[in-house]
Coordinates of all heavy atoms in Angstrom, one line a residue:
M1 N 0.9 -1.2 0.0 CA 0.0 0.0 0.0 C 0.9 1.2 0.0 O 1.9 1.3 0.8 CB -0.9 0.0 1.3 CG -1.8 1.1 1.4 SD -3.0 0.9 2.7 CE -3.8 -0.6 2.2
P2 N 0.6 2.2 -0.8 CA 1.4 3.4 -0.9 C 1.5 4.1 0.5 O 0.5 4.1 1.3 CB 0.7 4.3 -1.9 CG -0.2 3.4 -2.7 CD -0.5 2.3 -1.8
Q3 N 2.6 4.8 0.8 CA 2.8 5.5 2.0 C 1.8 6.6 2.2 O 1.4 7.3 1.3 CB 4.2 6.0 2.1 CG 4.6 6.6 3.5 CD 6.0 7.0 3.5 OE1 6.7 7.0 2.5 NE2 6.5 7.3 4.7
G4 N 1.3 6.7 3.4 CA 0.3 7.8 3.7 C -1.1 7.4 3.5 O -2.0 8.2 3.7
R5 N -1.4 6.2 2.9 CA -2.7 5.8 2.6 C -3.1 4.7 3.6 O -2.3 3.7 3.8 CB -2.9 5.3 1.2 CG -2.6 6.5 0.2 CD -2.9 6.1 -1.2 NE -4.3 5.7 -1.3 CZ -4.8 5.4 -2.4 NH1 -4.1 5.4 -3.5 NH2 -6.1 5.1 -2.5
E6 N -4.2 4.8 4.2 CA -4.7 3.7 5.1 C -5.7 2.9 4.4 O -6.4 3.3 3.5 CB -5.3 4.3 6.3 CG -4.3 5.2 7.1 CD -4.9 5.7 8.4 OE1 -5.7 5.1 9.0 OE2 -4.5 6.9 8.7
A7 N -5.8 1.6 4.8 CA -6.8 0.7 4.3 C -8.2 1.2 4.6 O -8.5 1.7 5.7 CB -6.6 -0.7 4.8
A8 N -9.1 1.1 3.6 CA -10.5 1.5 3.9 C -11.2 0.5 4.8 O -10.9 -0.7 4.7 CB -11.3 1.6 2.6
P9 N -12.0 0.9 5.7 CA -12.7 -0.1 6.5 C -13.6 -1.0 5.7 O -14.0 -0.6 4.7 CB -13.6 0.8 7.5 CG -13.6 2.1 6.9 CD -12.5 2.3 5.9
E10 N -13.8 -2.2 6.2 CA -14.6 -3.2 5.5 C -16.1 -2.7 5.6 O -16.4 -1.9 6.5 CB -14.5 -4.5 6.2 CG -13.1 -5.1 6.0 CD -13.0 -6.6 6.5 OE1 -14.0 -7.3 6.5 OE2 -11.9 -6.9 6.9
P11 N -16.9 -3.1 4.7 CA -18.3 -2.7 4.6 C -19.0 -2.8 6.0 O -19.8 -1.9 6.3 CB -18.9 -3.5 3.6 CG -17.8 -4.0 2.7 CD -16.6 -4.0 3.6
G12 N -18.8 -3.8 6.7 CA -19.5 -4.0 8.0 C -19.3 -2.9 9.0 O -20.1 -2.6 9.8
F13 N -18.1 -2.3 8.9 CA -17.8 -1.3 9.9 C -18.7 0.0 9.7 O -19.0 0.6 10.7 CB -16.3 -0.8 9.7 CG -15.3 -1.9 10.0 CD1 -14.0 -1.7 9.5 CD2 -15.6 -3.0 10.6 CE1 -13.1 -2.7 9.8 CE2 -14.7 -4.0 10.9 CZ -13.4 -3.8 10.4
Q14 N -19.0 0.3 8.5 CA -19.8 1.5 8.3 C -21.3 1.4 8.6 O -22.0 2.3 8.8 CB -19.6 2.0 6.9 CG -18.2 2.4 6.6 CD -17.9 2.9 5.2 OE1 -18.8 2.8 4.4 NE2 -16.7 3.4 5.0
S15 N -21.7 0.1 8.7 CA -23.2 -0.1 9.0 C -23.4 -0.6 10.4 O -24.4 -1.1 10.7 CB -23.8 -1.0 7.9 OG -23.1 -2.3 8.0
L16 N -22.4 -0.4 11.3 CA -22.5 -0.9 12.6 C -23.4 0.0 13.5 O -23.2 1.2 13.5 CB -21.1 -1.0 13.2 CG -20.9 -2.0 14.3 CD1 -21.1 -3.4 13.8 CD2 -19.4 -1.9 14.8
T17 N -24.4 -0.5 14.1 CA -25.2 0.3 15.0 C -24.5 0.5 16.4 O -23.5 -0.3 16.7 CB -26.6 -0.4 15.3 OG1 -26.4 -1.6 16.0 CG2 -27.3 -0.7 14.0
D18 N -25.0 1.4 17.2 CA -24.4 1.5 18.5 C -24.5 0.3 19.3 O -23.6 -0.1 20.0 CB -25.1 2.7 19.3 CG -24.6 4.1 18.8 OD1 -23.7 4.1 18.0 OD2 -25.3 5.0 19.2
R19 N -25.6 -0.4 19.3 CA -25.8 -1.7 20.0 C -24.8 -2.7 19.5 O -24.2 -3.4 20.3 CB -27.2 -2.2 19.9 CG -27.5 -3.5 20.5 CD -27.4 -3.4 22.0 NE -28.7 -2.9 22.6 CZ -28.8 -2.6 23.8 NH1 -27.9 -2.8 24.7 NH2 -30.0 -2.2 24.2
E20 N -24.6 -2.8 18.2 CA -23.7 -3.8 17.6 C -22.3 -3.5 18.1 O -21.5 -4.4 18.4 CB -23.8 -3.8 16.1 CG -25.1 -4.5 15.6 CD -25.3 -4.3 14.1 OE1 -24.8 -3.3 13.6 OE2 -26.0 -5.1 13.6
A21 N -21.9 -2.2 18.1 CA -20.6 -1.8 18.5 C -20.4 -2.2 20.0 O -19.3 -2.7 20.3 CB -20.5 -0.3 18.4
N22 N -21.4 -2.0 20.8 CA -21.3 -2.4 22.2 C -21.1 -3.9 22.3 O -20.3 -4.3 23.1 CB -22.6 -1.9 23.0 CG -22.4 -1.8 24.4 OD1 -21.3 -2.2 25.0 ND2 -23.4 -1.4 25.1
M23 N -21.8 -4.6 21.5 CA -21.7 -6.1 21.5 C -20.3 -6.5 21.1 O -19.7 -7.4 21.7 CB -22.7 -6.7 20.6 CG -24.1 -6.6 20.9 SD -24.6 -7.8 22.1 CE -26.3 -7.4 22.4
L24 N -19.8 -5.8 20.1 CA -18.5 -6.2 19.6 C -17.4 -6.0 20.7 O -16.5 -6.8 20.8 CB -18.1 -5.3 18.4 CG -16.8 -5.5 17.7 CD1 -16.7 -7.0 17.2 CD2 -16.6 -4.6 16.5
V25 N -17.5 -4.9 21.4 CA -16.6 -4.7 22.5 C -16.7 -5.8 23.6 O -15.7 -6.3 24.0 CB -16.8 -3.3 23.1 CG1 -16.0 -3.1 24.4 CG2 -16.4 -2.2 22.1
L26 N -17.9 -6.1 23.9 CA -18.1 -7.2 24.9 C -17.6 -8.6 24.4 O -17.0 -9.3 25.2 CB -19.5 -7.2 25.3 CG -20.0 -6.0 26.1 CD1 -21.5 -6.0 26.3 CD2 -19.3 -5.8 27.4
I27 N -17.8 -8.8 23.1 CA -17.3 -10.1 22.5 C -15.8 -10.1 22.6 O -15.2 -11.1 23.0 CB -17.9 -10.2 21.1 CG1 -19.4 -10.5 21.1 CG2 -17.1 -11.3 20.4 CD1 -20.0 -10.3 19.7
A28 N -15.2 -9.0 22.2 CA -13.7 -8.9 22.2 C -13.2 -9.1 23.6 O -12.1 -9.5 23.8 CB -13.3 -7.6 21.6
A29 N -14.0 -8.7 24.6 CA -13.5 -8.8 26.0 C -13.7 -10.3 26.5 O -13.4 -10.6 27.7 CB -14.3 -7.9 26.9
G30 N -14.2 -11.1 25.7 CA -14.4 -12.5 26.0 C -15.7 -12.9 26.7 O -15.8 -14.0 27.3
R31 N -16.6 -12.0 26.7 CA -17.9 -12.3 27.4 C -18.7 -13.3 26.6 O -18.8 -13.3 25.4 CB -18.7 -11.0 27.6 CG -17.9 -9.8 28.2 CD -18.0 -9.9 29.8 NE -17.1 -9.1 30.5 CZ -17.1 -7.8 30.5 NH1 -18.0 -7.1 29.9 NH2 -16.2 -7.2 31.2
T32 N -19.5 -14.1 27.3 CA -20.4 -15.1 26.8 C -21.7 -14.4 26.4 O -22.0 -13.3 26.9 CB -20.6 -16.2 27.7 OG1 -21.3 -15.7 28.9 CG2 -19.3 -16.9 28.1
D33 N -22.5 -15.1 25.7 CA -23.9 -14.5 25.4 C -24.6 -14.3 26.7 O -25.3 -13.3 26.9 CB -24.7 -15.5 24.5 CG -24.3 -15.5 23.1 OD1 -23.3 -14.7 22.7 OD2 -24.9 -16.2 22.3
R34 N -24.5 -15.2 27.6 CA -25.2 -15.1 28.9 C -24.7 -13.8 29.7 O -25.5 -13.1 30.2 CB -25.0 -16.3 29.8 CG -25.7 -16.2 31.1 CD -25.7 -17.5 31.9 NE -26.7 -18.3 31.2 CZ -26.8 -19.6 31.4 NH1 -26.0 -20.3 32.2 NH2 -27.7 -20.3 30.8
Q35 N -23.4 -13.6 29.7 CA -22.9 -12.5 30.4 C -23.3 -11.2 29.7 O -23.6 -10.2 30.4 CB -21.3 -12.6 30.5 CG -20.8 -13.7 31.4 CD -19.4 -13.9 31.2 OE1 -18.8 -13.8 30.1 NE2 -18.7 -14.3 32.3
I36 N -23.2 -11.1 28.4 CA -23.7 -9.9 27.7 C -25.1 -9.7 27.9 O -25.5 -8.5 28.2 CB -23.4 -10.1 26.2 CG1 -21.9 -10.2 25.9 CG2 -24.0 -8.9 25.4 CD1 -21.5 -10.6 24.5
A37 N -25.9 -10.7 27.9 CA -27.4 -10.5 28.1 C -27.7 -10.0 29.5 O -28.5 -9.0 29.6 CB -28.1 -11.9 27.9
A38 N -27.0 -10.5 30.5 CA -27.2 -10.0 31.8 C -26.7 -8.5 32.0 O -27.4 -7.7 32.6 CB -26.4 -10.8 32.8
S39 N -25.6 -8.2 31.4 CA -25.1 -6.8 31.5 C -25.9 -5.8 30.8 O -26.0 -4.6 31.2 CB -23.6 -6.7 31.1 OG -23.4 -6.9 29.8
L40 N -26.5 -6.2 29.7 CA -27.3 -5.3 28.8 C -28.8 -5.4 29.1 O -29.6 -4.8 28.4 CB -27.0 -5.4 27.4 CG -25.5 -5.1 27.0 CD1 -25.3 -5.4 25.5 CD2 -25.1 -3.7 27.4
Q41 N -29.2 -6.3 29.9 CA -30.6 -6.6 30.2 C -31.4 -7.0 29.0 O -32.4 -6.5 28.7 CB -31.3 -5.5 31.0 CG -30.6 -5.2 32.3 CD -31.3 -4.0 33.0 OE1 -31.9 -3.2 32.4 NE2 -31.1 -4.0 34.3
L42 N -30.8 -8.0 28.2 CA -31.4 -8.5 27.0 C -31.5 -10.0 27.2 O -30.9 -10.6 28.1 CB -30.5 -8.2 25.8 CG -30.2 -6.8 25.4 CD1 -29.2 -6.7 24.4 CD2 -31.5 -6.1 25.0
S43 N -32.3 -10.7 26.4 CA -32.4 -12.1 26.4 C -31.2 -12.7 25.7 O -30.5 -12.0 24.9 CB -33.7 -12.6 25.7 OG -33.6 -12.5 24.3
E44 N -30.8 -13.9 26.0 CA -29.7 -14.6 25.4 C -30.0 -14.8 23.9 O -29.1 -14.7 23.1 CB -29.4 -15.9 26.0 CG -28.7 -15.8 27.3 CD -28.3 -17.2 27.9 OE1 -27.6 -17.9 27.2 OE2 -28.8 -17.5 29.0
N45 N -31.2 -15.0 23.5 CA -31.6 -15.1 22.1 C -31.3 -13.8 21.3 O -30.9 -13.8 20.2 CB -33.1 -15.5 21.9 CG -33.3 -17.0 22.3 OD1 -32.4 -17.8 22.3 ND2 -34.5 -17.3 22.6
T46 N -31.6 -12.7 22.0 CA -31.4 -11.4 21.3 C -29.9 -11.2 21.1 O -29.4 -10.8 20.1 CB -32.0 -10.3 22.2 OG1 -33.4 -10.5 22.3 CG2 -31.7 -8.9 21.6
V47 N -29.1 -11.5 22.2 CA -27.7 -11.4 22.0 C -27.1 -12.3 20.9 O -26.3 -11.9 20.1 CB -27.0 -11.7 23.4 CG1 -25.5 -11.8 23.2 CG2 -27.4 -10.7 24.4
S48 N -27.6 -13.5 20.9 CA -27.2 -14.5 19.9 C -27.5 -13.9 18.5 O -26.7 -14.1 17.5 CB -27.9 -15.8 20.1 OG -27.6 -16.7 19.1
T49 N -28.7 -13.3 18.3 CA -29.0 -12.7 17.0 C -28.0 -11.6 16.7 O -27.6 -11.5 15.5 CB -30.5 -12.1 17.1 OG1 -31.4 -13.2 17.3 CG2 -30.8 -11.4 15.8
Y50 N -27.7 -10.7 17.6 CA -26.7 -9.6 17.4 C -25.3 -10.2 17.0 O -24.7 -9.7 16.1 CB -26.6 -8.7 18.6 CG -27.6 -7.6 18.7 CD1 -28.6 -7.7 19.6 CD2 -27.6 -6.6 17.8 CE1 -29.5 -6.7 19.7 CE2 -28.5 -5.6 17.8 CZ -29.5 -5.6 18.8 OH -30.4 -4.6 18.9
V51 N -24.9 -11.3 17.7 CA -23.6 -11.9 17.4 C -23.6 -12.4 16.0 O -22.7 -12.2 15.2 CB -23.3 -13.0 18.4 CG1 -22.1 -13.8 18.0 CG2 -23.1 -12.4 19.8
T52 N -24.7 -13.1 15.6 CA -24.8 -13.6 14.2 C -24.8 -12.5 13.2 O -24.1 -12.6 12.2 CB -26.1 -14.4 14.1 OG1 -26.1 -15.5 15.0 CG2 -26.3 -15.0 12.7
R53 N -25.5 -11.4 13.4 CA -25.4 -10.3 12.5 C -24.0 -9.7 12.4 O -23.6 -9.4 11.3 CB -26.3 -9.2 13.0 CG -27.8 -9.4 12.8 CD -28.6 -8.3 13.3 NE -30.0 -8.6 13.3 CZ -30.9 -7.9 13.9 NH1 -30.6 -6.8 14.6 NH2 -32.2 -8.2 13.9
L54 N -23.3 -9.6 13.5 CA -21.9 -9.2 13.4 C -21.0 -10.1 12.6 O -20.2 -9.7 11.8 CB -21.3 -9.0 14.9 CG -21.9 -7.8 15.6 CD1 -21.5 -7.8 17.1 CD2 -21.3 -6.5 15.0
L55 N -21.2 -11.4 12.9 CA -20.4 -12.4 12.1 C -20.6 -12.2 10.6 O -19.7 -12.3 9.8 CB -20.7 -13.8 12.6 CG -20.3 -14.2 14.0 CD1 -20.9 -15.5 14.4 CD2 -18.8 -14.1 14.2
V56 N -21.9 -12.1 10.2 CA -22.2 -11.9 8.8 C -21.7 -10.6 8.3 O -21.0 -10.6 7.2 CB -23.8 -12.0 8.6 CG1 -24.1 -11.5 7.2 CG2 -24.3 -13.4 8.9
K57 N -21.8 -9.5 9.0 CA -21.4 -8.2 8.5 C -19.9 -8.2 8.3 O -19.4 -7.5 7.4 CB -21.7 -7.1 9.5 CG -23.1 -6.6 9.5 CD -23.4 -5.4 10.4 CE -24.8 -4.9 10.2 NZ -25.0 -3.6 10.9
F58 N -19.1 -8.9 9.1 CA -17.7 -8.9 9.0 C -17.1 -10.1 8.3 O -15.9 -10.2 8.2 CB -17.0 -8.8 10.4 CG -17.3 -7.4 11.0 CD1 -18.4 -7.2 11.8 CD2 -16.4 -6.4 10.8 CE1 -18.6 -5.9 12.4 CE2 -16.6 -5.1 11.4 CZ -17.7 -4.9 12.2
G59 N -18.0 -11.0 7.8 CA -17.5 -12.1 7.1 C -16.7 -13.0 8.0 O -15.7 -13.6 7.5
A60 N -17.0 -13.1 9.3 CA -16.2 -13.9 10.2 C -16.9 -15.2 10.5 O -18.1 -15.3 10.5 CB -16.0 -13.1 11.5
A61 N -16.1 -16.2 10.7 CA -16.6 -17.6 11.0 C -16.9 -17.8 12.5 O -17.7 -18.6 12.8 CB -15.6 -18.6 10.5
N62 N -16.3 -17.0 13.3 CA -16.4 -17.2 14.8 C -16.1 -15.9 15.5 O -15.6 -14.9 14.9 CB -15.6 -18.4 15.3 CG -14.2 -18.3 14.9 OD1 -13.5 -17.2 15.1 ND2 -13.6 -19.3 14.3
R63 N -16.2 -15.9 16.8 CA -16.0 -14.7 17.6 C -14.5 -14.3 17.6 O -14.2 -13.1 17.6 CB -16.4 -15.0 19.1 CG -17.8 -15.0 19.3 CD -18.1 -15.5 20.7 NE -19.5 -15.7 20.9 CZ -20.2 -14.9 21.8 NH1 -19.6 -14.0 22.5 NH2 -21.5 -15.1 21.9
A64 N -13.6 -15.3 17.5 CA -12.2 -15.0 17.5 C -11.8 -14.2 16.2 O -11.1 -13.3 16.2 CB -11.4 -16.3 17.6
E65 N -12.3 -14.7 15.1 CA -12.1 -14.1 13.8 C -12.7 -12.7 13.8 O -12.1 -11.7 13.3 CB -12.6 -14.9 12.7 CG -12.2 -14.3 11.3 CD -12.7 -15.2 10.1 OE1 -13.3 -16.3 10.3 OE2 -12.5 -14.8 9.0
L66 N -13.9 -12.5 14.3 CA -14.6 -11.2 14.4 C -13.7 -10.3 15.2 O -13.5 -9.1 14.7 CB -15.9 -11.4 15.1 CG -16.7 -10.1 15.4 CD1 -17.1 -9.4 14.1 CD2 -18.0 -10.5 16.1
T67 N -13.2 -10.7 16.3 CA -12.4 -9.8 17.2 C -11.1 -9.5 16.5 O -10.7 -8.3 16.5 CB -12.1 -10.5 18.5 OG1 -13.3 -10.8 19.2 CG2 -11.2 -9.7 19.4
A68 N -10.5 -10.5 15.8 CA -9.2 -10.2 15.1 C -9.4 -9.2 14.0 O -8.6 -8.3 13.8 CB -8.7 -11.5 14.5
K69 N -10.5 -9.3 13.2 CA -10.8 -8.4 12.1 C -11.0 -7.0 12.7 O -10.5 -6.0 12.1 CB -12.0 -8.8 11.3 CG -11.7 -10.0 10.4 CD -12.9 -10.3 9.5 CE -12.5 -11.3 8.5 NZ -13.5 -11.4 7.4
A70 N -11.7 -6.9 13.8 CA -11.9 -5.6 14.4 C -10.6 -4.9 14.9 O -10.4 -3.7 14.7 CB -12.9 -5.7 15.5
F71 N -9.7 -5.7 15.4 CA -8.4 -5.2 15.9 C -7.5 -4.8 14.7 O -6.9 -3.7 14.7 CB -7.7 -6.2 16.8 CG -8.1 -6.0 18.3 CD1 -8.9 -7.0 18.8 CD2 -7.6 -5.0 19.0 CE1 -9.3 -6.8 20.1 CE2 -8.0 -4.9 20.4 CZ -8.8 -5.8 20.9
V72 N -7.4 -5.7 13.7 CA -6.6 -5.4 12.6 C -7.0 -4.2 11.8 O -6.2 -3.4 11.3 CB -6.5 -6.7 11.6 CG1 -5.9 -6.3 10.3 CG2 -5.8 -7.8 12.3
S73 N -8.3 -4.0 11.7 CA -8.9 -2.8 11.0 C -8.7 -1.5 11.8 O -8.8 -0.4 11.2 CB -10.3 -3.0 10.8 OG -11.0 -2.9 12.0
G74 N -8.4 -1.6 13.1 CA -8.3 -0.4 13.9 C -9.6 0.0 14.5 O -9.7 0.9 15.3
L75 N -10.6 -0.8 14.3 CA -11.9 -0.5 14.9 C -11.9 -0.7 16.4 O -12.4 0.1 17.2 CB -13.0 -1.4 14.3 CG -14.4 -1.3 14.9 CD1 -14.9 0.1 14.7 CD2 -15.4 -2.3 14.2
L76 N -11.2 -1.8 16.8 CA -11.0 -2.0 18.3 C -9.5 -1.8 18.6 O -8.6 -2.1 17.8 CB -11.3 -3.5 18.6 CG -12.8 -3.9 18.7 CD1 -12.9 -5.4 19.0 CD2 -13.5 -3.1 19.8
T77 N -9.3 -1.2 19.7 CA -8.0 -1.0 20.3 C -7.9 -1.6 21.7 O -9.0 -2.0 22.2 CB -7.6 0.5 20.3 OG1 -8.4 1.1 21.3 CG2 -7.7 1.2 19.0
G78 N -6.8 -1.6 22.3 CA -6.7 -2.1 23.7 C -7.6 -1.4 24.6 O -8.0 -1.9 25.7
A79 N -8.0 -0.1 24.3 CA -8.8 0.7 25.2 C -10.3 0.7 24.7 O -11.1 1.4 25.3 CB -8.3 2.1 25.2
G80 N -10.7 0.0 23.7 CA -12.1 0.0 23.2 C -12.1 0.2 21.8 O -11.2 -0.2 21.0
L81 N -13.1 0.9 21.3 CA -13.3 1.1 19.9 C -12.4 2.3 19.4 O -12.5 3.4 20.0 CB -14.8 1.4 19.6 CG -15.7 0.2 19.6 CD1 -17.1 0.7 19.4 CD2 -15.4 -0.7 18.5
G82 N -11.7 2.1 18.4 CA -11.0 3.2 17.7 C -11.9 3.8 16.7 O -13.0 3.4 16.6
R83 N -11.4 4.6 15.9 CA -12.2 5.2 14.8 C -11.5 5.1 13.5 O -10.5 5.9 13.2 CB -12.4 6.7 15.2 CG -13.7 7.2 14.7 CD -13.9 8.6 15.3 NE -14.7 8.6 16.4 CZ -16.0 9.1 16.4 NH1 -16.4 9.6 15.3 NH2 -16.7 9.0 17.5
P84 N -11.8 4.1 12.7 CA -11.2 4.0 11.4 C -11.4 5.2 10.5 O -12.3 6.0 10.8 CB -11.9 2.8 10.8 CG -12.6 2.1 11.8 CD -12.8 3.1 12.9
P85 N -10.6 5.4 9.5 CA -10.8 6.6 8.6 C -12.2 6.6 8.1 O -12.8 5.5 7.8 CB -9.8 6.3 7.5 CG -8.8 5.3 8.1 CD -9.5 4.6 9.1
A86 N -12.8 7.7 7.9 CA -14.1 7.9 7.3 C -15.2 7.3 8.1 O -16.3 7.1 7.6 CB -14.1 7.4 5.9
W87 N -15.0 7.1 9.4 CA -16.1 6.6 10.2 C -16.6 7.7 11.1 O -15.8 8.3 11.9 CB -15.6 5.4 11.1 CG -16.7 4.8 11.9 CD1 -17.7 5.5 12.5 CD2 -16.9 3.5 12.1 NE1 -18.6 4.6 13.1 CE2 -18.1 3.4 12.9 CE3 -16.3 2.3 11.8 CZ2 -18.6 2.2 13.3 CZ3 -16.8 1.1 12.2 CH2 -17.9 1.1 12.9
S88 N -17.9 7.9 11.1 CA -18.4 9.0 11.9 C -19.6 8.6 12.7 O -20.2 9.3 13.4 CB -18.8 10.2 11.1 OG -19.8 9.9 10.1
G89 N -20.1 7.3 12.5 CA -21.4 7.0 13.1 C -21.3 6.1 14.4 O -22.1 5.3 14.6
I90 N -20.2 6.3 15.2 CA -20.1 5.4 16.4 C -19.6 6.1 17.6 O -18.7 7.0 17.4 CB -19.2 4.2 16.0 CG1 -19.4 3.1 17.1 CG2 -17.8 4.5 15.9 CD1 -18.9 1.8 16.6
R91 N -20.1 5.8 18.7 CA -19.5 6.3 20.0 C -18.5 5.4 20.5 O -18.5 4.2 20.1 CB -20.6 6.5 21.0 CG -21.6 7.6 20.7 CD -22.6 7.7 21.8 NE -23.7 6.8 21.4 CZ -24.5 6.1 22.2 NH1 -24.3 6.2 23.5 NH2 -25.4 5.3 21.8
S92 N -17.6 5.8 21.3 CA -16.5 5.0 21.8 C -17.0 4.3 23.1 O -17.7 4.8 23.9 CB -15.3 5.8 22.2 OG -14.7 6.3 21.1
F93 N -16.7 3.0 23.1 CA -17.0 2.2 24.3 C -15.7 1.7 24.8 O -14.8 1.4 24.0 CB -17.9 1.0 23.9 CG -19.2 1.4 23.4 CD1 -19.4 1.6 22.0 CD2 -20.3 1.6 24.2 CE1 -20.7 1.9 21.5 CE2 -21.5 2.0 23.8 CZ -21.7 2.2 22.4
V94 N -15.5 1.5 26.1 CA -14.2 1.1 26.6 C -14.3 -0.3 27.2 O -15.3 -0.6 27.9 CB -13.8 2.1 27.7 CG1 -12.5 1.7 28.4 CG2 -13.6 3.5 27.1
V95 N -13.3 -1.1 26.9 CA -13.2 -2.4 27.5 C -12.2 -2.3 28.6 O -11.1 -1.7 28.5 CB -12.6 -3.4 26.5 CG1 -12.4 -4.7 27.1 CG2 -13.5 -3.5 25.3
H96 N -12.5 -2.8 29.8 CA -11.6 -2.8 30.9 C -11.0 -4.2 31.0 O -11.7 -5.2 31.3 CB -12.3 -2.5 32.2 CG -13.0 -1.2 32.2 ND1 -12.2 0.0 32.4 CD2 -14.2 -0.8 32.0 CE1 -13.0 1.0 32.3 NE2 -14.2 0.6 32.0
W97 N -9.7 -4.3 30.7 CA -9.1 -5.6 30.6 C -8.7 -6.1 31.9 O -8.3 -5.7 32.8 CB -7.8 -5.6 29.7 CG -8.2 -5.2 28.3 CD1 -8.1 -4.0 27.7 CD2 -8.7 -6.1 27.3 NE1 -8.5 -4.0 26.4 CE2 -8.9 -5.3 26.2 CE3 -9.1 -7.4 27.3 CZ2 -9.5 -5.8 25.0 CZ3 -9.6 -7.9 26.1 CH2 -9.8 -7.1 25.0

């Protein structure tokens, strides 16, 4: 890639809702569906649906690949969500390691 140019975020990044972003951070922190459901006061089925949507949006086969893609893209950092170039539709959420 030419110097000074950054990779464009994958299509899933630009269509992420605030709820999906929150889920992504919790998934990256290693939380289970049950733990996420309890912390967000949602049913496990609802959390499972969000996880499935994230996997599809990012073309990931599992949570580990989803997390890796989010970190490699710059969407997730050690402190939570970063802001890839040209991204304006997301608030920052912080993961406490």
